[in-house]
Amino acid sequence: GAVVSQHPSWVICKSGTSVKIECRSLDFQATTMFWYRQFPKQSLMLMATSNEGSKATYEQGVEKDKFLINHASLTLSTLTVTSAHPEDSSFYICSAREEGSHQRYDQPQHFGDGTRLSIL
Amino acid sequence: AQSVTQLDSQVPVFEEAPVELRCNYSSSVSVYLFWYVQYPNQGLQLLLKYLSGSTLVESINGFEAEFNKSQTSFHLRKPSVHISDTAEYFCAVTSSGGYNKLIFGAGTRLAVHP
């Protein structure tokens, strides 16, 4: 149980294009999903918290107009990297918390397999 | 503010030897602690977690971790490692005040050699 599917797993595109990454919770509902960025051999950096039916909460230093997040349903959140440039190349990982209640802080997050984004 | 320190960036070890991956945290409130494992080009998989109760928690593949409040530590151990345990291991903390934000350590690369 508690499977999170992330698509695509790998994308290569030209500089200036926009790329959309999908994150789906397959067998549970997720009020809250999280988007992380991971540079090679480094830890995960939280970019934003995605809340179903409301605006995402971005971490300090993350450009919300650059990284558009939409959480239109309880099983799907999308991250769109707009006008991507080579410096946006990275490994992007989403996660979803299994419990629907905002009060269940002890519920672990379940992670997708990540998306390797390469901008040429 | 919370923080997690993983003291070793890399831990090389021979197959069937014991291993300990160290994790210390800093928090002014009660915490929940997690260990995640990441294989190359994959997301993170939950290895084990401490929420409350017994301070010693175990995973299904032989890992265990002990929550030590006085030392603010949550070290991960395995008495005998396998080649397949080679991966990146992340310690993480969250609390009731953090809206379930996970704060990750920098990670420890466990390399098991034959």
Side-chain angles (χ1 to χ4, degrees):
Chain A
V3 176
V4 174
S5 173
Q6 194 171 334
H7 178 80
S9 57
W10 197 296
V11 59
I12 302 173
C13 61
K14 293 181 180 179
S15 182
T17 58
S18 294
V19 179
K20 179 184 284 188
I21 303 170
E22 292 187 348
C23 180
R24 294 180 185 273
S25 56
L26 297 186
D27 49 2
F28 65 98
Q29 294 184 332
T31 306
T32 305
M33 291 185 175
F34 302 86
W35 287 97
Y36 296 86
R37 184 172 180 176
Q38 186 180 31
F39 291 101
K41 298 184 179 180
Q42 294 187 30
S43 189
L44 280 73
M45 179 191 77
L46 179 65
M47 299 174 65
T49 303
S50 171
N51 305 295
E52 187 270 334
S54 64
K55 291 183 178 180
T57 303
Y58 290 82
E59 295 300 302
Q60 191 173 8
V62 178
E63 299 176 62
K64 61 181 181 182
D65 295 330
K66 174 74 171 177
F67 300 99
L68 300 179
I69 292 173
N70 184 281
H71 195 154
S73 76
L74 287 172
T75 59
L76 173 65
S77 176
T78 61
L79 168 68
T80 301
V81 183
T82 61
S83 186
H85 293 286
E87 58 266 28
D88 298 322
S89 298
S90 190
F91 193 54
Y92 292 87
I93 305 176
C94 73
S95 72
R97 187 159 52 93
E98 189 170 352
E99 175 61 44
S101 166
H102 290 275
Q103 301 303 316
R104 292 300 303 273
Y105 304 108
D106 59 343
Q107 291 296 317
Q109 294 177 24
H110 301 282
F111 287 80
D113 279 342
T115 297
R116 176 75 58 192
L117 175 62
S118 297
I119 309 298
L120 304 178
Chain B
Q2 298 173 327
S3 66
V4 177
T5 302
Q6 289 183 246
L7 297 168
D8 307 296
S9 59
Q10 294 187 60
V11 174
V13 64
F14 287 110
E15 193 174 19
E16 297 184 3
V19 70
E20 178 180 81
L21 306 184
R22 295 179 291 171
C23 171
N24 287 87
Y25 69 92
S26 173
S27 177
S28 58
V29 297
S30 296
V31 297
Y32 308 107
L33 294 155
F34 307 86
W35 274 100
Y36 285 88
V37 58
Q38 184 182 33
Y39 298 100
N41 293 313
Q42 293 186 25
L44 275 65
Q45 300 173 31
L46 180 66
L47 196 56
L48 44 75
K49 60 185 178 182
Y50 170 76
L51 305 179
S52 64
S54 174
T55 57
L56 184 65
V57 291
E58 299 177 349
S59 71
I60 58 174
N61 56 354
F63 283 95
E64 65 178 30
E66 186 164 16
F67 171 61
N68 188 318
K69 188 175 182 179
S70 63
Q71 297 186 6
T72 60
S73 68
F74 190 55
H75 300 332
L76 181 70
R77 302 184 183 94
K78 189 170 185 179
S80 177
V81 295
H82 301 290
I83 295 289
S84 59
D85 293 324
T86 296
E88 192 81 22
Y89 291 80
F90 293 97
C91 181
V93 63
T94 190
S95 71
S96 59
Y99 196 69
N100 207 54
K101 283 184 183 180
L102 271 176
I103 307 299
F104 284 92
T108 297
R109 170 74 177 167
L110 175 63
V112 181
H113 301 284

